[in-house]
Amino acid sequence: MSSLQALCSGLPLRPLPENRGRWAGVPHAPVRTPSLSPAEEQLALRNALRYFPPDVHELLAPEFAQELRLYGHIYMYRFCPDVKIRAYPIEQYPCQTRAAAAIMHMIMNNLDPAVAQFPQELVTYGGNGQVFSNWAQFWLVMSYLSQMTEEQTLVMYSGHPLGLFPSSPGAPRLVITNGMVIPNYSSRAEYEKLFAMGVTMYGQMTAGSYCYIGPQGIVHGTVLTLLNAGRRYLGVKDLTGKVFVTSGLGGMSGAQAKAAVIVGCIGVIAEVDKAALMKRHEQGWLMEVTDSLDHCIERLREARKRKEVLSLGYHGNVVDLWERLVHELDTTGELLVDLGSDQTSCHNPFNGGYYPVQLGFTEAQSLMASDPAAFKHLVQESLRRQVSAINRLAKENFFFWDYGNAFLLEAQRAGADVEKKGTNKTGFRYPSYVQHIMGDIFSLGFGPFRWVCTSGDPQDLAVTDQLAASVLEGAVADGVNPGVKLQYADNIRWIREAAKHRLVVGSQARILYSDQKGRVAIAVAFNQAIARGKIKAPVVLSRDHHDVSGTDSPFRETSNIYDGSAFCADMAVQNFVGDAFRGATWVALHNGGGVGWGEVINGGFGLVLDGTQEAEQKAKMMLSWDVSNGVARRCWSGNQKAYEIIRQTMQDDKGLVVTLPHEVADERVLSQALRP
């Protein structure tokens, strides 16, 4: 208890903590190369020092300057806390409000070394998804939260806590914006400079909104993606004996091995970073590992023949793996793969998100820092080789999709053969998984609904699992359309089996996909269970920003919007604002997400259920808007599934009135009107 009290007492200055530098034994973020001018370096240093009183500047200035030159950013390693960072039970935080304590619980989970990708650089996942820009911000935020009352709101500017401002009990306790750079300056090069100067930050999605729940979230999404890919591409409901090849075992991508096992297929996942690969193996998420390509192919053949369930981690570059699969096809006639994708952090390809096949891991990291231009050249050559191999396999009965990590976008920029003639600029030779799989699910109102039991007690999580399953089963019993029924069935199976798959890493959290009706009903059931004491402490509701309404991303979440508005960000902004005044405990709006800086605007929320009637009313109001916003948008873009859902919702919800679009005139009428 005393350690958490110290953590909330503000910046430790009297005395200053010892500077222990970078920790050994944990992964660290790649060195950044922002190419600051001398004036910009001085500005970066000035911006860092303003968190501290003048009497310590002489000591800290050289230290911060060295960090900037060595690592490309001032992280303030001296101020990494001695306290073990993890999601402590909510009652242990010294706060005046349960909302503030719940937010602390979520922040501490995002920075837990068991959860975070680069914990000492405050990166949760994706190579650059920051919780804060530096450790001074962490200390100040914890102090502000410990002081916060129900009549104050904490305002966050790209990791920087602007302060506590007078507010009202019904307002959000926390409002977060990350990377809100003026559009004409939202380039990758500008970002590197602005981040180095400490004035903006890449919050990714749930990193900068304090809502990450470890890789469990993407496990569930990958399970649904694989199940629906099998139905769509292979025409099968059972993936036994089918082979899924992909890459990435780091942050979110580490979920792929577990998902392959859950759906019962053979997953082969390449990873260049041995530490990331072994972490997943030690967690039990990856069944076998090898650094031999020969053994990898031999084991794959064996598992395929025996129809084993297998997750096999290949320690090596995925380009070598794809090219070997082509070699096997061309020399033996045997196609060894059925489904494929890529989950590298390709939104950040030149700073550790994608490693070129021509170099080993350590050699690549060195070149990345010493000669960024040469590194970029090798990355783009590697992308072209990877696409070439995938294209050869795709001539057979093999299906590849873009997994929303900007892989095809960056491959196109590298000159790879991914063009799809006669399509718009969001279309490629291979579909985004949103276009073919998740888009239909989003149109039905289904998306990644999450919750965290702030007691930290696994028994509370077990109670919520049971309640959620019962709610969904009740919805099916009441009668739903066939498409909705199929999604409910997938998620009932998931939640019934979730505990046995040991998915919890960090906080006691769970995810499932549900529509508006299901989310509201689950929230009400949880809140009533808290009121009755069946759940011992508040529950935080959130979601991935990758959802029905939260994100405008033309190369991912809104890639199936064909009315010309895919590059418009009204939906995400309206989601952020609408959630705020409908009862969210905190809201977040970010530039940048899974497909990269300047490519997307996304919004998220956190909602604390504490067993009160007020919490129930907020959940009903806010969750309804959080879903119907996106369904209505898809309805107006011409999506028939969304049209039917929003029409049905209007019949059920008295306050909802939407002018439904009329059927678009046929091609003859349009052509005649536009005739010269």
Side-chain angles (χ1 to χ4, degrees):
M1 187 69 148
S2 60
S3 61
L4 287 179
Q5 286 176 339
L7 208 58
C8 297
S9 61
L11 272 167
L13 299 170
R14 307 286 186 266
L16 286 171
E18 177 189 358
N19 185 8
R20 295 172 294 152
R22 281 190 163 196
W23 297 333
V26 298
H28 288 285
V31 173
R32 296 178 176 277
T33 53
S35 302
L36 299 182
S37 68
E40 288 167 337
E41 285 185 333
Q42 189 174 92
L43 192 54
L45 193 56
R46 183 188 298 275
N47 289 342
L49 289 171
R50 62 186 172 178
Y51 289 103
F52 304 92
D55 63 306
V56 297
H57 286 186
E58 194 168 350
L59 173 65
L60 295 180
E63 190 174 293
F64 291 169
Q66 184 183 37
E67 285 186 17
L68 182 62
R69 287 170 178 158
L70 285 178
Y71 310 120
H73 188 73
I74 300 171
Y75 296 106
M76 306 182 186
Y77 289 122
R78 177 188 288 270
F79 294 94
C80 291
D82 286 331
V83 178
K84 179 176 172 57
I85 296 184
R86 65 178 181 84
Y88 291 89
I90 190 171
E91 70 273 5
Q92 294 186 22
Y93 298 100
C95 294
Q96 298 189 53
T97 73
R98 283 176 292 189
I103 295 167
M104 283 189 180
H105 183 90
M106 302 292 281
I107 289 172
M108 294 285 276
N109 187 67
N110 268 28
L111 292 171
D112 181 343
V115 174
Q117 185 180 15
F118 305 126
Q120 210 180 2
E121 287 77 40
L122 302 112
V123 171
T124 300
Y125 63 84
N128 59 354
Q130 305 282 148
V131 184
F132 303 109
S133 181
N134 58 57
W135 284 103
Q137 293 173 351
F138 168 82
W139 286 93
L140 289 172
V141 166
M142 297 298 279
S143 176
Y144 281 136
L145 289 171
S146 70
Q147 301 170 49
M148 177 189 287
T149 71
E150 292 287 353
E151 295 186 341
Q152 290 175 308
T153 292
L154 175 59
V155 177
M156 298 292 300
Y157 279 16
S158 289
H160 169 71
L162 198 66
L164 292 170
F165 292 83
S167 188
S168 67
R173 298 279 68 81
L174 172 65
V175 176
I176 304 166
T177 52
N178 282 310
M180 290 291 107
V181 173
I182 292 168
N184 280 354
Y185 299 89
S186 192
S187 68
R188 191 171 281 155
E190 284 290 341
Y191 164 71
E192 291 296 340
K193 287 196 171 193
L194 293 171
F195 180 63
M197 289 190 289
V199 294
T200 199
M201 190 181 85
Y202 191 80
Q204 256 278 1
M205 290 184 154
T206 52
S209 63
Y210 319 149
C211 289
Y212 191 56
I213 61 167
Q216 178 184 170
I218 193 66
V219 170
H220 180 254
T222 306
V223 164
L224 293 184
T225 299
L226 287 171
L227 287 174
N228 285 285
R231 292 164 184 159
R232 181 180 182 106
Y233 299 131
L234 304 177
V236 299
K237 295 179 181 179
D238 183 357
L239 288 169
T240 303
K242 302 300 180 183
V243 177
F244 172 54
V245 170
T246 183
S247 58
L249 284 166
M252 290 197 298
S253 61
Q256 297 182 110
K258 175 65 86 171
V261 171
I262 291 173
V263 301
C265 72
I266 300 156
V268 183
I269 308 97
E271 172 57 62
V272 295
D273 183 354
K274 190 167 186 177
L277 181 141
M278 295 312 297
K279 180 178 180 179
R280 297 306 176 202
H281 188 240
E282 289 159 10
Q283 286 175 337
W285 287 37
L286 186 63
M287 294 166 66
E288 298 179 18
V289 299
T290 181
D291 58 6
S292 164
L293 201 49
D294 288 340
H295 178 71
C296 184
I297 296 300
E298 179 185 338
R299 188 70 184 91
L300 168 55
R301 272 201 171 95
E302 182 181 73
R304 197 162 171 259
K305 182 178 180 180
R306 296 179 180 176
K307 294 190 174 182
E308 287 182 60
V309 176
L310 174 67
S311 57
L312 174 62
Y314 167 57
H315 178 220
N317 197 292
V318 74
V319 180
D320 285 328
L321 177 57
W322 285 121
E323 290 180 341
R324 178 61 179 270
L325 290 167
V326 169
H327 173 76
E328 295 298 323
L329 174 63
D330 289 343
T331 56
T332 71
E334 189 176 12
L335 178 67
L336 295 175
V337 56
D338 302 286
L339 300 170
S341 192
D342 186 277
Q343 263 284 61
T344 56
S345 295
C346 214
H347 69 278
N348 183 35
F350 312 123
N351 197 243
Y354 181 96
Y355 283 84
V357 66
Q358 305 92 327
L359 302 176
F361 182 60
T362 304
E363 189 182 4
Q365 286 188 314
S366 177
L367 185 66
M368 189 194 314
S370 65
D371 192 345
F375 182 79
K376 179 178 179 179
H377 174 77
L378 292 180
V379 164
Q380 292 190 319
E381 181 184 283
S382 187
L383 284 166
R384 292 193 295 271
R385 282 177 56 180
Q386 183 168 343
V387 168
S388 179
I390 290 166
N391 287 349
R392 170 65 187 94
L393 294 167
K395 291 178 180 178
E396 312 299 325
N397 194 35
F398 161 72
F399 300 90
F400 183 88
W401 65 88
D402 186 293
Y403 212 164
N405 61 337
F407 172 72
L408 291 179
L409 179 62
E410 289 301 334
Q412 180 190 56
R413 289 169 175 168
D417 183 13
V418 294
E419 181 184 355
K420 181 180 180 181
K421 293 180 180 178
T423 188
N424 60 33
K425 55 187 173 181
T426 65
F428 297 104
R429 176 190 290 245
Y430 305 104
S432 156
Y433 76 122
V434 173
Q435 289 172 303
H436 274 191
I437 300 170
M438 303 309 291
D440 282 350
I441 295 173
F442 287 166
S443 296
L444 294 171
F446 281 80
F449 183 56
R450 299 174 172 182
W451 62 90
V452 175
C453 297
T454 64
S455 65
D457 188 342
Q459 183 55 41
D460 273 357
L461 186 61
V463 172
T464 62
D465 284 349
Q466 180 59 42
L467 286 171
S470 297
V471 165
L472 297 186
E473 287 167 347
V476 172
D478 289 343
V480 291
N481 76 46
V484 171
K485 184 176 181 179
L486 178 62
Q487 296 308 318
Y488 273 137
D490 284 345
N491 282 281
I492 290 166
R493 171 186 164 188
W494 162 269
I495 200 70
R496 287 291 186 201
E497 297 180 359
K500 78 177 186 183
H501 291 298
R502 297 169 56 205
L503 296 162
V504 170
V505 178
S507 60
Q508 293 295 316
R510 189 68 78 220
I511 180 174
L512 56 75
Y513 270 46
S514 183
D515 59 356
Q516 177 180 327
K517 181 179 179 181
R519 295 188 210 202
V520 171
I522 290 169
V524 170
F526 288 176
N527 198 60
Q528 291 175 354
I530 295 166
R532 295 195 303 268
K534 287 186 66 179
I535 298 173
K536 293 181 283 299
V539 170
V540 174
L541 302 182
S542 69
R543 56 163 167 73
D544 195 343
H545 300 201
H546 171 63
D547 197 4
V548 182
S549 300
T551 299
D552 285 296
S553 178
F555 297 101
R556 194 165 85 178
E557 283 80 3
T558 46
S559 60
N560 66 335
I561 299 290
Y562 300 116
D563 67 350
S565 69
F567 290 87
C568 301
D570 301 81
M571 182 177 72
V573 175
Q574 289 282 359
N575 179 268
F576 163 79
V577 175
D579 283 357
F581 66 72
R582 287 180 174 88
T585 308
W586 72 93
V587 289
L589 186 68
H590 302 166
N591 170 13
V595 294
W597 181 261
E599 309 285 359
V600 49
I601 300 293
N602 65 89
F605 76 86
L607 176 64
V608 177
L609 299 177
D610 59 6
T612 63
Q613 187 60 38
E614 290 81 5
E616 181 173 319
Q617 288 305 116
K618 287 179 178 180
K620 289 177 177 178
M621 181 72 73
M622 199 224 78
L623 293 174
S624 294
W625 163 250
D626 196 64
V627 176
S628 61
N629 172 34
V631 177
R633 192 267 178 94
R634 285 169 168 78
C635 165
W636 269 92
S637 73
N639 187 292
Q640 188 61 34
K641 288 185 173 68
Y643 181 97
E644 294 300 327
I645 292 296
I646 205 71
R647 189 169 60 83
Q648 180 61 50
T649 306
M650 279 200 292
Q651 294 175 10
D652 298 337
D653 293 356
K654 294 180 181 178
L656 179 64
V657 180
V658 176
T659 304
L660 296 174
H662 294 288
E663 187 174 346
V664 177
D666 64 33
E667 291 294 329
R668 181 188 60 81
V669 173
L670 297 175
S671 299
Q672 189 170 2
L674 293 169
R675 186 177 298 163

